[in-house]
Amino acid sequence: TMIKGTNNQTVINSLLNIADVYVLPSTAEGLPLVLLEAMSAGVPWVSTPVGGVPAVFGRLKAGKVLDSFKLSSLEEAVREVEGKDSRIEWESNFTIDKAGRLYKEVLG
């Protein structure tokens, strides 16, 4: 199912609850909220390499950042992440303690 441009949280939540994989086929984004929503729901995801997606989400295993948006790449990526729980991975990689350590390193 493809939904374009809705802010209706009921619609978003109901679709995420039945989704097998979330695909973000965007050509322009900053840091897409929809990927955070998918991870919050535990839905594995596939995204084009737009905005901050590669830097912020690129190392996660329950999601996949595509190098290009070819149909064969998309199919392979969906199969790679299918069945993974992105919420568990998000919660284990983005903790307050881990963020604090990283900020401390940056601030020196």
Side-chain angles (χ1 to χ4, degrees):
T1 300
M2 180 179 276
I3 302 293
K4 183 177 179 180
T6 183
N7 290 326
N8 184 323
Q9 202 61 48
T10 302
V11 170
I12 293 168
N13 290 340
S14 65
L15 291 172
L16 287 173
N17 284 333
I18 62 170
D20 295 318
V21 175
Y22 179 82
V23 177
L24 177 66
S26 184
T27 57
E29 295 285 339
L31 185 62
L33 179 60
V34 294
L35 288 183
L36 298 174
E37 291 170 334
M39 285 186 271
S40 179
V43 177
W45 54 269
V46 175
S47 176
T48 50
V50 293
V53 172
V56 176
F57 305 113
R59 294 187 185 118
L60 301 176
K61 303 295 182 226
K64 176 80 175 176
V65 181
L66 297 171
D67 293 326
S68 65
F69 202 72
K70 294 180 182 172
L71 190 55
S72 60
S73 299
L74 176 60
E75 181 180 0
E76 183 180 316
V78 167
R79 292 189 190 285
E80 186 178 323
V81 300
E82 207 169 23
K84 295 185 177 177
D85 188 327
S86 59
R87 182 180 182 135
I88 291 170
E89 185 177 39
W90 177 260
E91 289 175 345
S92 66
N93 279 286
F94 297 95
T95 65
I96 291 173
D97 290 338
K98 191 176 270 190
R101 284 192 304 272
L102 292 172
Y103 277 120
K104 186 176 179 181
E105 287 177 21
V106 169
L107 298 173

